Amino acid sequence: MNPILWGFLHRSAVLKLPDRKREIYQFIESKENQLEEIAINEEQFIQLLCEKSPFKEAADHFSLHISYIKGLMDEAQAEIDQVIEERCNRMKWIDCTEMMKYAKGRKDNQWAFIFVS
């Protein structure tokens, strides 16, 4: 799947989570992204995840037990995956290449697709 489309579907699915679950999910995702930015490779990223656990930070920040945070994140990820899968199954790609060539008088070989979900 196109990474831009996947990113759109992912953000859309996160926004559909219940408020509290979304807030915790986004907190952890933000912390993971921060660690990813400072890591120079995959090994260092994993090391940083262990040393500065986003789950532990979330547990401290929200005054919740870490096992609750882990369970909530598993639930959130399952819900996000389900929403993305359902939308992908409903998605239809429409080839508009010829229509765009005609409308713009173009003779190049660019393709134009739209998707409807």
Side-chain angles (χ1 to χ4, degrees), residues 20-36:
R20 183 73 165 167
K21 194 178 283 187
R22 181 178 64 247
E23 184 180 7
I24 294 170
Y25 184 89
Q26 289 176 324
F27 179 90
I28 292 173
E29 188 175 51
S30 170
K31 296 294 181 183
E32 288 174 346
N33 289 340
Q34 290 171 6
L35 295 177
E36 183 180 15

Side-chain angles (χ1 to χ4, degrees), residues 7 9-10 42 51 54 59 77 79-80 82 91 107 112:
L9 293 174
H10 181 263
E42 186 177 334
E51 292 171 0
Q77 192 60 58
E79 290 175 34
I80 290 167
Q82 181 180 356
M91 190 181 309
K107 297 185 191 292

Side-chain angles (χ1 to χ4, degrees), residues 62-74:
F62 294 101
S63 300
L64 297 167
H65 196 274
I66 195 166
S67 62
Y68 177 81
I69 294 289
K70 287 180 180 180
L72 186 125
M73 285 299 285
D74 289 342

Side-chain angles (χ1 to χ4, degrees), residues 15-108:
L15 291 175
K16 292 180 183 217
L17 292 172
D19 292 342
R20 183 73 165 167
K21 194 178 283 187
R22 181 178 64 247
E23 184 180 7
I24 294 170
Y25 184 89
Q26 289 176 324
F27 179 90
I28 292 173
E29 188 175 51
S30 170
K31 296 294 181 183
E32 288 174 346
N33 289 340
Q34 290 171 6
L35 295 177
E36 183 180 15
E37 286 179 18
I38 62 173
I40 57 172
N41 57 35
E42 186 177 334
E43 289 176 10
Q44 186 182 27
F45 176 64
I46 292 170
Q47 181 182 358
L48 288 169
L49 281 175
C50 293
E51 292 171 0
K52 301 177 181 189
S53 170
F55 285 82
K56 174 79 170 100
E57 287 187 48
D60 293 343
H61 180 79
F62 294 101
S63 300
L64 297 167
H65 196 274
I66 195 166
S67 62
Y68 177 81
I69 294 289
K70 287 180 180 180
L72 186 125
M73 285 299 285
D74 289 342
E75 288 174 18
Q77 192 60 58
E79 290 175 34
I80 290 167
D81 292 345
Q82 181 180 356
V83 168
I84 291 173
E85 183 178 344
E86 288 171 359
R87 290 197 66 193
C88 285
N89 289 338
R90 289 193 327 255
M91 190 181 309
K92 294 187 181 2
W93 286 94
I94 301 170
D95 184 354
C96 298
T97 305
E98 292 303 318
M99 182 175 61
M100 294 299 288
K101 282 183 183 179
Y102 176 75
K104 295 187 177 188
R106 297 170 74 170
K107 297 185 191 292
D108 56 13

